[in-house]
Amino acid sequence: MARSKSKNAASSSKALPTLNEVKAATAIPTPPPPLAKGASSIYEVVDLPGRGKGMIATRDIKASFAFACCELILKEEPLLQLPPGLEENPIQTRKFLKDKMSNLTADQRAEYMSLWYEPATPTQDVLRAILMANSYSTHDSLAVFPNAARMNHGCAGASNVAYSWRKGEGRFYLHALRGVKQGEELLSAYLDPKMSRSERRKVLKEKYRFDCNCSSCSLPEALSLKSDRRLSNINGLFECLMGWNTNMLSGKQVVEIVNKIWELAEEENLSTQFGELAGLGAMVAAAHSDQSATAEWSRLGAKWLTISLGQDDINAKNSERWSRQPTTHPAFGKKYKMAVGGPSKAAMGEQSGP
């Protein structure tokens, strides 16, 4: 009963492996792509009591250094994709979907109509309700991927997969964030992982019509309050970073804040934020012509972008290139020269692993 993921149900999850565990893991063969119509050697779509349908791993999805802890689970082209800007116009969206249905095969129409939507939806708005409840963001529009639409939600500490849209290919990609056991449900986060528990549960209830009882939302009250404080601090620190654009913060101060956010994010198991944080560190270091720091941050970014997006992702490839050729970073030399510093020991995994 996966709902809309047009968003930047759950089971418990284990912690991500440490860097040493990842390095020690043996390489595993590249898995074959999922088969047609939802069939796959990696997962199956099953009925879950009281929760509709969900994606369950049919074998262990292993972490390895060769995969950078990232196995490809699914890649899928959209069944339909909304033109940019149309989602804000319900009347035009209904018309587009009605026309689109006539161009689909009978099997494709049946596949679309089998997806979840709010039962109380008026008949004339069912097509749009299915779109809004099962679509993923493609940056400038929404698209429906029937296989991926079966995936349920897990908040940051409970999710075990990450998805991305590759515009150049026109495909949705789903990668494992950690090792997943056979029989474990595949879960992705529908919402901004930096939202507090009460905020997350409110949105999930109002928009997706379920009460989230994932491992993150089920923490004891004392631990949940600590988690919310960390998330509040992370959001506040991100806001502080804006001071760099107006020269209220130096590059060195920005890097210190990035390292602090990293420490808090690691405590919250927000590993999906690490690629962004490393990219920010690399941009600041490059802008201040700090070649060694640019290389260090880019190397770290390449690692975490590979984990969440795949080693063939363009952002991971760019970060790898900047780690070898820091002066080719597009931000290089844009600000005054300064030694800003590289990732902290914690960010490098020297104190604790991912």
Side-chain angles (χ1 to χ4, degrees):
M1 188 169 61
R3 291 132 172 119
S4 178
K5 297 90 185 169
S6 49
K7 28 202 175 285
N8 10 171
S11 66
S12 61
S13 72
K14 298 180 180 178
L16 291 169
T18 65
L19 181 58
N20 288 335
E21 288 174 336
V22 173
K23 289 182 176 179
T26 56
I28 54 181
T30 302
L35 305 177
K37 295 186 181 300
S40 172
S41 64
I42 304 177
Y43 70 88
E44 62 180 342
V45 176
V46 301
D47 291 316
L48 301 174
R51 297 180 52 228
K53 296 184 183 294
M55 296 169 66
I56 304 296
T58 55
R59 63 166 173 80
D60 288 351
I61 301 174
K62 299 179 180 179
S64 78
F65 187 62
F67 276 105
C69 197
C70 169
E71 185 172 348
L72 175 64
I73 297 173
L74 168 69
K75 60 180 177 180
E76 184 177 12
E77 295 180 1
L79 178 63
L80 61 84
Q81 185 172 2
L82 206 62
L86 201 61
E87 64 183 279
E88 303 300 330
N89 190 323
I91 295 176
Q92 289 300 315
T93 298
R94 292 189 194 100
K95 183 179 185 304
F96 169 83
L97 292 172
K98 184 178 179 180
D99 292 342
K100 187 68 177 178
M101 288 298 110
S102 65
N103 294 325
L104 297 179
T105 66
D107 286 346
Q108 288 174 325
R109 287 194 296 272
E111 191 172 34
Y112 185 84
M113 296 304 298
S114 72
L115 299 176
W116 184 90
Y117 63 94
E118 174 60 46
T121 302
T123 302
Q124 68 271 20
D125 205 32
V126 166
L127 294 178
R128 181 173 178 271
I130 293 174
L131 170 76
M132 301 307 294
N134 295 276
S135 58
Y136 284 84
S137 171
T138 56
H139 305 315
D140 58 359
S141 66
L142 300 177
V144 173
F145 307 89
N147 294 334
R150 299 303 186 182
M151 185 165 47
N152 285 319
H153 167 81
C155 296
S159 58
N160 51 22
V161 296
Y163 59 84
S164 61
W165 165 251
R166 299 188 184 180
K167 186 174 182 178
E169 296 182 33
R171 286 187 180 133
F172 170 101
Y173 275 72
L174 185 70
H175 288 89
L177 285 173
R178 60 169 177 81
V180 179
K181 293 294 185 181
Q182 181 179 358
E184 187 176 349
E185 186 176 4
L186 303 180
L187 302 168
S188 67
Y190 291 3
L191 308 176
D192 181 351
K194 300 187 295 297
M195 296 173 67
S196 69
R197 181 174 71 167
S198 61
E199 291 172 331
R200 297 192 309 266
R201 300 189 83 177
K202 182 175 184 291
V203 172
L204 291 169
K205 182 66 174 178
E206 292 179 352
K207 189 171 183 179
Y208 306 118
R209 300 293 189 268
F210 69 87
D211 295 307
C212 186
N213 294 307
C214 73
S215 58
S216 295
C217 287
S218 301
L219 286 172
E221 191 64 23
L223 293 179
S224 181
L225 289 174
K226 287 184 178 180
S227 172
D228 284 349
R229 283 195 290 269
R230 282 193 294 266
L231 292 169
S232 178
N233 288 337
I234 288 173
N235 286 314
L237 289 170
F238 266 115
E239 291 181 7
C240 288
L241 292 176
M242 299 301 294
W244 184 65
N245 294 328
T246 56
N247 294 320
M248 294 180 65
L249 290 177
S250 69
K252 185 175 182 179
Q253 289 174 314
V254 170
V255 166
E256 289 174 351
I257 293 174
V258 169
N259 278 317
K260 179 59 178 176
I261 294 175
W262 195 295
E263 179 183 336
L264 293 169
E266 188 170 33
E267 293 179 30
E268 279 297 303
N269 199 21
L270 298 182
S271 61
T272 54
Q273 300 292 297
F274 291 163
E276 176 187 351
L277 286 169
L280 179 57
M283 180 185 69
V284 172
H288 290 284
S289 303
D290 187 337
Q291 292 193 42
S292 62
T294 302
E296 289 177 3
W297 281 111
S298 295
R299 191 174 301 113
L300 191 60
K303 169 195 166 184
W304 284 104
L305 289 169
T306 296
I307 288 173
S308 59
L309 302 178
Q311 62 184 3
D312 56 346
D313 176 75
I314 185 62
N315 297 296
K317 288 181 177 180
N318 283 338
S319 292
E320 175 60 30
R321 176 167 58 86
W322 296 331
S323 73
R324 292 181 282 102
Q325 301 173 312
T327 59
T328 63
H329 193 292
F332 198 86
K334 298 296 185 182
K335 284 182 173 271
Y336 54 89
K337 191 170 184 178
M338 168 184 272
V340 302
S344 65
K345 289 182 178 181
M348 295 298 290
E350 295 180 22
Q351 294 178 349
S352 59

mmCIF file of all heavy atoms in Angstrom, residues 12-35:
data_model
loop_
_atom_site.group_PDB
_atom_site.id
_atom_site.type_symbol
_atom_site.label_atom_id
_atom_site.label_comp_id
_atom_site.label_asym_id
_atom_site.label_seq_id
_atom_site.Cartn_x
_atom_site.Cartn_y
_atom_site.Cartn_z
ATOM 1 N N SER A 12 11.400 -2.560 11.472
ATOM 2 C CA SER A 12 12.636 -2.194 12.141
ATOM 3 C C SER A 12 13.794 -2.340 11.185
ATOM 4 O O SER A 12 13.731 -3.037 10.193
ATOM 5 C CB SER A 12 12.859 -3.086 13.363
ATOM 6 O OG SER A 12 12.961 -4.429 12.947
ATOM 7 N N SER A 13 14.920 -1.668 11.470
ATOM 8 C CA SER A 13 16.102 -1.785 10.636
ATOM 9 C C SER A 13 17.335 -1.848 11.494
ATOM 10 O O SER A 13 17.336 -1.407 12.636
ATOM 11 C CB SER A 13 16.214 -0.602 9.671
ATOM 12 O OG SER A 13 16.561 0.543 10.370
ATOM 13 N N LYS A 14 18.372 -2.415 10.936
ATOM 14 C CA LYS A 14 19.635 -2.517 11.640
ATOM 15 C C LYS A 14 20.533 -1.361 11.237
ATOM 16 O O LYS A 14 20.337 -0.724 10.216
ATOM 17 C CB LYS A 14 20.314 -3.848 11.310
ATOM 18 C CG LYS A 14 19.481 -5.064 11.762
ATOM 19 C CD LYS A 14 20.192 -6.351 11.414
ATOM 20 C CE LYS A 14 19.372 -7.555 11.849
ATOM 21 N NZ LYS A 14 20.038 -8.828 11.471
ATOM 22 N N ALA A 15 21.561 -1.131 12.040
ATOM 23 C CA ALA A 15 22.477 -0.041 11.752
ATOM 24 C C ALA A 15 23.272 -0.355 10.498
ATOM 25 O O ALA A 15 23.499 -1.512 10.141
ATOM 26 C CB ALA A 15 23.432 0.155 12.932
ATOM 27 N N LEU A 16 23.684 0.697 9.797
ATOM 28 C CA LEU A 16 24.545 0.516 8.646
ATOM 29 C C LEU A 16 25.863 -0.107 9.082
ATOM 30 O O LEU A 16 26.312 0.094 10.208
ATOM 31 C CB LEU A 16 24.818 1.868 7.970
ATOM 32 C CG LEU A 16 23.633 2.502 7.268
ATOM 33 C CD1 LEU A 16 23.958 3.927 6.884
ATOM 34 C CD2 LEU A 16 23.256 1.713 6.048
ATOM 35 N N PRO A 17 26.526 -0.893 8.196
ATOM 36 C CA PRO A 17 27.799 -1.500 8.571
ATOM 37 C C PRO A 17 28.869 -0.448 8.772
ATOM 38 O O PRO A 17 28.829 0.632 8.201
ATOM 39 C CB PRO A 17 28.123 -2.385 7.351
ATOM 40 C CG PRO A 17 27.401 -1.733 6.217
ATOM 41 C CD PRO A 17 26.133 -1.195 6.819
ATOM 42 N N THR A 18 29.851 -0.764 9.610
ATOM 43 C CA THR A 18 30.967 0.143 9.799
ATOM 44 C C THR A 18 31.830 0.131 8.559
ATOM 45 O O THR A 18 31.768 -0.793 7.734
ATOM 46 C CB THR A 18 31.828 -0.263 11.001
ATOM 47 O OG1 THR A 18 32.436 -1.525 10.715
ATOM 48 C CG2 THR A 18 30.986 -0.359 12.272
ATOM 49 N N LEU A 19 32.670 1.147 8.400
ATOM 50 C CA LEU A 19 33.539 1.234 7.237
ATOM 51 C C LEU A 19 34.459 0.022 7.172
ATOM 52 O O LEU A 19 34.707 -0.533 6.100
ATOM 53 C CB LEU A 19 34.371 2.531 7.309
ATOM 54 C CG LEU A 19 35.320 2.784 6.121
ATOM 55 C CD1 LEU A 19 34.534 2.823 4.824
ATOM 56 C CD2 LEU A 19 36.067 4.084 6.333
ATOM 57 N N ASN A 20 34.980 -0.424 8.328
ATOM 58 C CA ASN A 20 35.855 -1.593 8.342
ATOM 59 C C ASN A 20 35.114 -2.848 7.891
ATOM 60 O O ASN A 20 35.679 -3.700 7.192
ATOM 61 C CB ASN A 20 36.436 -1.807 9.740
ATOM 62 C CG ASN A 20 37.478 -0.767 10.090
ATOM 63 O OD1 ASN A 20 38.092 -0.183 9.197
ATOM 64 N ND2 ASN A 20 37.686 -0.532 11.370
ATOM 65 N N GLU A 21 33.834 -2.969 8.298
ATOM 66 C CA GLU A 21 33.042 -4.115 7.872
ATOM 67 C C GLU A 21 32.813 -4.087 6.369
ATOM 68 O O GLU A 21 32.844 -5.128 5.701
ATOM 69 C CB GLU A 21 31.703 -4.128 8.606
ATOM 70 C CG GLU A 21 31.817 -4.506 10.075
ATOM 71 C CD GLU A 21 30.499 -4.360 10.807
ATOM 72 O OE1 GLU A 21 29.659 -3.566 10.343
ATOM 73 O OE2 GLU A 21 30.326 -5.025 11.830
ATOM 74 N N VAL A 22 32.586 -2.878 5.837
ATOM 75 C CA VAL A 22 32.392 -2.753 4.396
ATOM 76 C C VAL A 22 33.660 -3.148 3.648
ATOM 77 O O VAL A 22 33.630 -3.883 2.671
ATOM 78 C CB VAL A 22 31.990 -1.306 4.024
ATOM 79 C CG1 VAL A 22 31.956 -1.135 2.520
ATOM 80 C CG2 VAL A 22 30.626 -0.990 4.615
ATOM 81 N N LYS A 23 34.805 -2.663 4.131
ATOM 82 C CA LYS A 23 36.067 -2.974 3.473
ATOM 83 C C LYS A 23 36.394 -4.463 3.548
ATOM 84 O O LYS A 23 37.042 -5.017 2.663
ATOM 85 C CB LYS A 23 37.202 -2.156 4.102
ATOM 86 C CG LYS A 23 37.142 -0.673 3.776
ATOM 87 C CD LYS A 23 38.315 0.077 4.395
ATOM 88 C CE LYS A 23 38.289 1.544 3.987
ATOM 89 N NZ LYS A 23 39.406 2.298 4.587
ATOM 90 N N ALA A 24 35.953 -5.101 4.640
ATOM 91 C CA ALA A 24 36.259 -6.508 4.836
ATOM 92 C C ALA A 24 35.328 -7.425 4.059
ATOM 93 O O ALA A 24 35.607 -8.607 3.884
ATOM 94 C CB ALA A 24 36.195 -6.853 6.327
ATOM 95 N N ALA A 25 34.215 -6.868 3.619
ATOM 96 C CA ALA A 25 33.224 -7.705 2.930
ATOM 97 C C ALA A 25 33.747 -8.162 1.580
ATOM 98 O O ALA A 25 34.494 -7.453 0.921
ATOM 99 C CB ALA A 25 31.915 -6.918 2.746
ATOM 100 N N THR A 26 33.369 -9.334 1.158
ATOM 101 C CA THR A 26 33.810 -9.841 -0.135
ATOM 102 C C THR A 26 32.934 -9.298 -1.240
ATOM 103 O O THR A 26 31.750 -9.037 -1.044
ATOM 104 C CB THR A 26 33.742 -11.375 -0.151
ATOM 105 O OG1 THR A 26 32.421 -11.773 0.166
ATOM 106 C CG2 THR A 26 34.711 -11.974 0.863
ATOM 107 N N ALA A 27 33.525 -9.175 -2.411
ATOM 108 C CA ALA A 27 32.768 -8.678 -3.554
ATOM 109 C C ALA A 27 31.724 -9.703 -3.956
ATOM 110 O O ALA A 27 31.922 -10.907 -3.824
ATOM 111 C CB ALA A 27 33.716 -8.392 -4.717
ATOM 112 N N ILE A 28 30.600 -9.222 -4.435
ATOM 113 C CA ILE A 28 29.557 -10.119 -4.913
ATOM 114 C C ILE A 28 29.223 -9.753 -6.346
ATOM 115 O O ILE A 28 29.424 -8.619 -6.773
ATOM 116 C CB ILE A 28 28.294 -10.031 -4.039
ATOM 117 C CG1 ILE A 28 27.830 -8.575 -3.928
ATOM 118 C CG2 ILE A 28 28.530 -10.607 -2.671
ATOM 119 C CD1 ILE A 28 26.599 -8.402 -3.068
ATOM 120 N N PRO A 29 28.744 -10.696 -7.135
ATOM 121 C CA PRO A 29 28.492 -10.432 -8.544
ATOM 122 C C PRO A 29 27.440 -9.355 -8.740
ATOM 123 O O PRO A 29 26.538 -9.190 -7.912
ATOM 124 C CB PRO A 29 27.992 -11.794 -9.073
ATOM 125 C CG PRO A 29 28.434 -12.799 -8.064
ATOM 126 C CD PRO A 29 28.448 -12.072 -6.758
ATOM 127 N N THR A 30 27.545 -8.642 -9.837
ATOM 128 C CA THR A 30 26.537 -7.647 -10.157
ATOM 129 C C THR A 30 25.188 -8.335 -10.340
ATOM 130 O O THR A 30 25.078 -9.281 -11.120
ATOM 131 C CB THR A 30 26.902 -6.901 -11.452
ATOM 132 O OG1 THR A 30 28.166 -6.294 -11.284
ATOM 133 C CG2 THR A 30 25.844 -5.855 -11.792
ATOM 134 N N PRO A 31 24.161 -7.904 -9.616
ATOM 135 C CA PRO A 31 22.871 -8.588 -9.724
ATOM 136 C C PRO A 31 22.198 -8.280 -11.048
ATOM 137 O O PRO A 31 22.408 -7.212 -11.630
ATOM 138 C CB PRO A 31 22.068 -7.974 -8.562
ATOM 139 C CG PRO A 31 22.663 -6.624 -8.380
ATOM 140 C CD PRO A 31 24.125 -6.788 -8.663
ATOM 141 N N PRO A 32 21.392 -9.203 -11.549
ATOM 142 C CA PRO A 32 20.666 -8.932 -12.788
ATOM 143 C C PRO A 32 19.581 -7.915 -12.534
ATOM 144 O O PRO A 32 19.105 -7.764 -11.410
ATOM 145 C CB PRO A 32 20.053 -10.302 -13.132
ATOM 146 C CG PRO A 32 19.907 -10.972 -11.803
ATOM 147 C CD PRO A 32 21.083 -10.516 -11.002
ATOM 148 N N PRO A 33 19.152 -7.152 -13.565
ATOM 149 C CA PRO A 33 18.066 -6.189 -13.375
ATOM 150 C C PRO A 33 16.764 -6.920 -13.099
ATOM 151 O O PRO A 33 16.590 -8.081 -13.472
ATOM 152 C CB PRO A 33 18.012 -5.458 -14.728
ATOM 153 C CG PRO A 33 18.591 -6.423 -15.704
ATOM 154 C CD PRO A 33 19.650 -7.165 -14.953
ATOM 155 N N PRO A 34 15.819 -6.248 -12.410
ATOM 156 C CA PRO A 34 14.528 -6.871 -12.137
ATOM 157 C C PRO A 34 13.821 -7.310 -13.414
ATOM 158 O O PRO A 34 13.967 -6.685 -14.462
ATOM 159 C CB PRO A 34 13.749 -5.764 -11.424
ATOM 160 C CG PRO A 34 14.808 -4.895 -10.837
ATOM 161 C CD PRO A 34 15.943 -4.935 -11.812
ATOM 162 N N LEU A 35 13.057 -8.391 -13.325
ATOM 163 C CA LEU A 35 12.334 -8.897 -14.468
ATOM 164 C C LEU A 35 11.080 -8.073 -14.709
ATOM 165 O O LEU A 35 10.719 -7.224 -13.914
ATOM 166 C CB LEU A 35 11.976 -10.368 -14.234
ATOM 167 C CG LEU A 35 13.176 -11.272 -13.897
ATOM 168 C CD1 LEU A 35 12.686 -12.685 -13.608
ATOM 169 C CD2 LEU A 35 14.191 -11.268 -15.015
#
